[in-house]
Amino acid sequence: MTKDELNVILKKADMYLSPIGDGTFNNVFYVLNKSCVVVEFNGVDFIFSPDYGHGYWKEIVEALVEYANTPVEERKPKPQLYNIIIAKDIHHRSPYLTAWRKVNKLGEYFTTDAAEQQDLLHDNDFKFTVEEIEDLKSKVSEKQKQIIDIGMEKVENTMSAGVDIDEVEDD
């Protein structure tokens, strides 16, 4: 579990992981609320603050245990990934998408006009980090940069069944 994933769960109870590093300071990580430390984990024991006064939700305790058991290198936030969708074939029941794709991590890009939604979700060549998008934009025309900006869609948003993509014309 990453720090970001844990913080999403903690936020529901107005708590958050210490902002220092991955929440760890001197081999102890702390969960805070607006006024105090509410949970301390020293690597062996969880110490819950009796001053918190609200009790601790089962979901929060389970998340803390999972986070504590996650190796430190895996706690780091994963980069946000995007699909870059530039057009949708609206004439078929299962539409094909025109989307940008990477070529073998060589810094080369092309568009494909026969991608299905499952390709965008499961093929890493269709998933771009912000840095890769900036690299792509450095290699295309101004109009294509605008189309890329319009077509950027977070991968998790692409997963929703109702992805609605306006048809856009390319150069």
Side-chain angles (χ1 to χ4, degrees):
M1 173 178 288
T2 67
K3 180 179 180 180
D4 291 343
E5 292 167 333
L6 178 60
N7 272 327
V8 167
I9 294 167
L10 294 173
K11 186 177 180 180
K12 295 174 188 173
D14 293 324
M15 294 187 278
Y16 59 95
L17 195 60
S18 169
I20 299 170
D22 65 346
T24 303
F25 182 69
N26 290 337
N27 296 321
V28 175
F29 75 74
Y30 300 96
V31 175
L32 315 168
N33 68 10
K34 293 177 184 165
S35 61
C36 65
V37 173
V38 294
V39 181
E40 176 183 330
F41 178 68
N42 63 14
V44 178
D45 298 312
F46 284 99
I47 300 144
F48 293 90
S49 170
D51 299 334
Y52 183 54
H54 289 32
Y56 296 89
W57 301 345
K58 179 182 176 190
E59 177 185 23
I60 289 173
V61 175
E62 288 172 350
L64 289 171
V65 170
E66 183 178 343
Y67 185 75
N69 289 318
T70 300
V72 172
E73 61 275 359
E74 293 178 26
R75 293 180 186 170
K76 295 176 182 155
K78 294 173 179 66
Q80 176 62 59
L81 296 175
Y82 297 88
N83 296 128
I84 305 172
I85 304 166
I86 57 176
K88 176 180 176 182
D89 176 358
I90 58 174
H91 299 293
H92 293 90
R93 184 170 244 206
S94 176
Y96 291 109
L97 304 168
T98 301
W100 279 97
R101 182 178 194 155
K102 297 179 273 190
V103 181
N104 300 328
K105 312 272 187 244
L106 298 174
E108 298 174 8
Y109 309 94
F110 68 96
T111 58
T112 178
D113 61 355
E116 295 182 12
Q117 186 173 356
Q118 66 186 21
D119 296 332
L120 274 64
L121 299 176
H122 301 293
D123 185 338
N124 286 333
D125 288 345
F126 286 102
K127 298 175 184 177
F128 292 82
T129 64
V130 170
E131 292 81 15
E132 291 169 329
I133 292 170
E134 290 305 315
D135 181 52
L136 168 60
K137 288 168 62 176
S138 73
K139 298 175 180 178
V140 297
S141 70
E142 285 302 314
K143 184 175 180 185
Q144 287 176 321
K145 288 177 189 177
Q146 293 172 358
I147 293 170
I148 289 168
D149 287 338
I150 292 168
M152 283 176 52
E153 185 72 40
K154 291 180 180 177
V155 170
E156 58 267 18
N157 293 346
T158 304
M159 288 186 212
S160 66
V163 174
D164 186 29
I165 304 145
D166 294 327
E167 213 168 315
V168 181
E169 288 187 27
D170 198 356
D171 280 352

